[in-house]
Amino acid sequence: MSEPRYDVIAIGNAIVDVVSSCSDELIEELGMLKGGMTLVDTDQAQELYDAMGPAREISGGSAANTLAGLSALGMQCAFVGQVADDQLGNVFAHDIRAVGIDFDTAPRAGNPPTARCLIFVTPDGQRTMNTFLGASQFLPANALDEEAIGGAQILYLEGYLWDPEEPRAAMRRAIETAKNAGRKVAFTLSDAFVIDRHGDDFRALIDDGLIDILFANKVELAAITGEEDFDAGIAQLTPKVPTLVVTRSEEGAVAVNRGERAEVAAEPIEEVVDTTGAGDLFAAGFLAGYVRQKPLDTCLRMGSIAAAEIISHYGARAEEDLAALMAEKLG
């Protein structure tokens, strides 16, 4: 097998976070659920965007956030995701390339526009999110660079993108390409509501031996296995998944790799400011250790350190130097 061109290539939603401060009165006036996340259509997205004050635009999306963390930790990464040929599409492409990630998916002409998450932040720090999935739902299989996928040590997929038909077909093709090249496939279950909709598909992927590394939190573990007992859920999946990684918020995280089990406590932190992106960065830390063939408990610790950095501030992209932080914490 040839040396991998990339450590990790990921397929995910190409979303731009548009963040603006606002008053509680504006939340009420616009009829939003304070602190919640709502999916919105094109017209609603435009109406909310027009109502926003001055905003910061930051590239987001679950898998893209993970790659940003991996890149900060010295990994060679590439991203596959669909943007439109518009202003926010240009923002996304610029931002992801600026952190050293290859991004070559051609923009899509016409409507719908690039996906965006309109985030209204009230004076108490609460984030009210309105997500418009737009062009990200129309990633075709012919957008895949199969040579790049076959040349990546790990293919990383986000469950969020399994919902629309086109990206689902693209991800199935990518899995086949990676497997034929002898590469590993990592999958994050993303959210219990995704499992409610596509759990049968995910279980089939697991049963067919197509997932090498599975990321879940404890709620998702219960949803995918039907087991409320945490250890029973772990026991159900470990014979089918070579590497299982499950996070438990303040209770830390557990990983089982071919029968070897490791656990770590949550990394201590002064204040939890915003949990957005915690799972994404946990995956980044873990995979960075995995690619470098670190011991299982070290991989978990790296995930925990990266997640703790993210929840200490607003936004899903690291503000500290993650590589320096790892060196400091791990010694």
Side-chain angles (χ1 to χ4, degrees):
M1 191 190 304
S2 62
E3 279 295 302
R5 174 182 169 193
Y6 295 112
D7 295 305
V8 181
I9 189 168
I11 302 177
N13 280 311
I15 298 179
V16 177
D17 292 338
V18 183
V19 187
S20 177
S21 299
C22 75
S23 65
D24 286 303
E25 288 75 20
L26 184 61
I27 298 287
E28 192 172 329
E29 181 186 322
L30 294 173
M32 293 186 288
L33 174 65
K34 184 177 175 179
M37 197 286 280
T38 306
L39 289 175
V40 297
D41 61 23
T42 308
D43 291 342
Q44 290 171 304
Q46 188 60 53
E47 180 187 338
L48 292 170
Y49 186 66
D50 289 345
M52 276 186 145
R56 289 183 301 130
E57 295 166 347
I58 311 155
S59 294
S62 174
N65 291 337
T66 297
L67 288 190
L70 280 161
S71 184
L73 291 168
M75 301 286 103
Q76 289 295 117
C77 301
F79 180 72
V80 181
Q82 190 65 64
V83 296
D85 188 7
D86 58 16
Q87 180 193 352
L88 288 184
N90 292 336
V91 168
F92 183 90
H94 171 270
D95 284 0
I96 201 161
R97 290 170 183 149
V99 294
I101 298 165
D102 285 355
F103 175 58
D104 299 319
T105 311
R108 186 176 187 271
N111 286 319
T114 296
R116 74 282 314 263
C117 184
L118 305 171
I119 303 171
F120 293 76
V121 184
T122 41
D124 59 359
Q126 281 269 30
R127 292 159 63 90
T128 301
M129 298 188 286
N130 303 270
T131 304
F132 168 66
L133 293 172
S136 68
Q137 301 176 92
F138 297 95
L139 176 73
N142 63 17
L144 300 177
D145 180 342
E146 297 196 8
E147 187 179 342
I149 291 167
Q153 189 169 336
I154 296 171
L155 168 67
Y156 181 79
L157 305 171
E158 67 170 86
Y160 283 127
L161 197 57
W162 201 262
D163 209 41
E165 185 177 342
E166 269 192 283
R168 185 164 64 245
M171 287 194 283
R172 287 191 184 278
R173 172 101 160 263
I175 291 170
E176 184 181 351
T177 301
K179 285 295 185 181
N180 287 343
R183 306 303 189 182
K184 295 192 184 301
V185 175
F187 195 94
T188 176
L189 291 171
S190 293
D191 199 290
F193 85 80
V194 181
I195 299 167
D196 289 343
R197 293 171 63 88
H198 301 288
D200 288 345
D201 272 1
F202 297 164
R203 292 179 198 101
L205 292 173
I206 291 165
D207 291 344
D208 291 344
L210 296 175
I211 306 299
D212 299 290
I213 307 166
L214 182 67
F215 290 95
N217 62 31
K218 61 183 180 180
V219 175
E220 294 154 8
L221 178 70
I224 196 73
T225 62
E227 295 281 0
E228 287 302 321
D229 180 77
F230 182 80
D231 287 320
I234 294 276
Q236 185 188 125
L237 287 182
T238 47
K240 304 173 183 179
V241 179
T243 305
L244 175 65
V245 185
V246 186
T247 57
R248 299 189 286 180
S249 301
E250 69 280 357
E251 298 170 46
V254 174
V256 183
N257 180 57
R258 301 188 185 279
E260 177 196 355
R261 178 169 170 143
E263 298 187 32
V264 296
E267 197 68 16
I269 180 174
E270 285 185 16
E271 181 188 5
V272 176
V273 175
D274 176 14
T275 59
T276 306
D280 303 336
L281 269 291
F282 189 97
F286 184 93
L287 288 172
Y290 183 95
V291 166
R292 292 184 173 132
Q293 300 182 323
K294 300 284 188 185
L296 193 60
D297 58 349
T298 302
C299 294
L300 281 177
R301 183 86 198 285
M302 290 175 71
S304 184
I305 291 166
E309 194 284 335
I310 284 300
I311 64 176
S312 68
H313 58 77
Y314 289 111
R317 298 287 171 95
E319 292 183 354
E320 287 191 59
D321 180 331
L322 281 183
L325 194 60
M326 293 293 171
E328 175 194 332
K329 298 277 189 179
L330 296 173

